[in-house]
Amino acid sequence: SDSKLADGFSSEKFGNTLYVKYSEIGEVTDGYVNDAIQSNQFDSIIIDVRNNGGGEASVAVKAADYFVGDNVVKLKYRNGATEDLRTVDGVKCDVPMVVLVNEKTASGAEILTALLKQGAKATIIGKQTFGKGVFQNAGIYKNGIIRYTAGEFTVGDWPCWQGVGIAPDIEVEMDPDLIGTDDDIQLQKALEILG
């Protein structure tokens, strides 16, 4: 059953695999994940963050909470301050997992990918991610709003991936226009791995 629960989020079943697509990481993301998990029986899961430009780091951490134990996203501000965003220890959903990524997977979506790789032993399939490992703040300047890079983030013991991206475990070259079509070979590979 295909359920489009909100802008940027949908889920459906392929056999015993739950497929969850995020186009963005927004405030309501984790509630939709919870609903999809609670309302389906499944023995494996695919999290699709292809073409996902990210969102709030704190929301990515909450979305990962279902699948990972204790981990930390460190925000290192340019002024030397640091902030830790922690997942809550305790896994609600422990099944084999694939994360689908591509060259447009960035920022908060990369945080989610890193957390799932480290904490849920997810297999990453697709293309090297975009590589946005910095975060911005906004301030007022001469009556306008200026956005500036406030710092960088890291996940667990990984170095910051700014300008580098996260490499997939299994690289599958594919035109992003094929996502959601019968020629979505990245999704087909994920289903094959979990099958």
Side-chain angles (χ1 to χ4, degrees):
S1 64
D2 183 20
S3 65
K4 179 137 174 59
L5 295 166
D7 288 342
F9 185 91
S10 62
S11 67
E12 62 184 290
K13 290 273 298 288
F14 293 98
N16 287 325
T17 299
L18 179 63
Y19 168 81
V20 177
K21 177 162 182 45
Y22 296 82
S23 306
E24 61 196 62
I25 302 212
E27 279 306 316
V28 292
T29 302
D30 61 313
Y32 293 127
V33 175
N34 193 35
D35 292 348
I37 289 170
Q38 301 296 334
S39 60
N40 285 285
Q41 293 286 318
F42 56 94
D43 52 27
S44 59
I45 190 165
I46 297 168
I47 305 286
D48 186 349
V49 287
R50 293 174 296 177
N51 293 356
N52 183 325
E56 291 294 318
S58 58
V59 177
V61 171
K62 276 171 84 176
D65 257 337
Y66 294 94
F67 310 105
V68 304
D70 190 32
N71 203 345
V72 64
V73 177
K74 279 200 174 303
L75 305 181
K76 294 181 192 161
Y77 291 87
R78 290 248 160 110
N79 66 9
T82 61
E83 181 183 353
D84 286 357
L85 302 175
R86 295 203 84 89
T87 53
V88 179
D89 201 4
V91 177
K92 298 184 189 80
C93 180
D94 185 11
V95 295
M97 174 186 293
V98 166
V99 181
L100 291 175
V101 300
N102 68 5
E103 58 276 21
K104 295 180 180 172
T105 302
S107 187
E110 289 174 301
I111 292 175
L112 179 58
T113 301
L115 286 167
L116 295 175
K117 173 68 183 172
Q118 291 176 22
K121 298 182 180 65
T123 301
I124 303 172
I125 294 178
K127 296 276 294 154
Q128 186 103 355
T129 64
F130 182 80
K132 183 175 186 291
V134 296
F135 56 93
Q136 281 75 36
N137 278 347
I140 300 203
Y141 178 74
K142 292 189 177 177
N143 299 325
I145 292 179
I146 184 169
R147 290 182 70 74
Y148 61 94
T149 298
E152 65 174 35
F153 50 76
T154 55
V155 175
D157 58 1
W158 287 12
C160 179
W161 54 75
Q162 173 66 20
V164 179
I166 298 170
D169 298 303
I170 301 169
E171 185 159 10
V172 179
E173 293 270 352
M174 191 184 94
D175 184 329
D177 290 343
L178 297 176
I179 294 173
T181 71
D182 290 343
D183 295 318
D184 189 340
I185 57 174
Q186 290 169 337
L187 175 58
Q188 289 163 18
K189 187 68 177 177
L191 290 166
E192 177 193 320
I193 295 282
L194 293 169

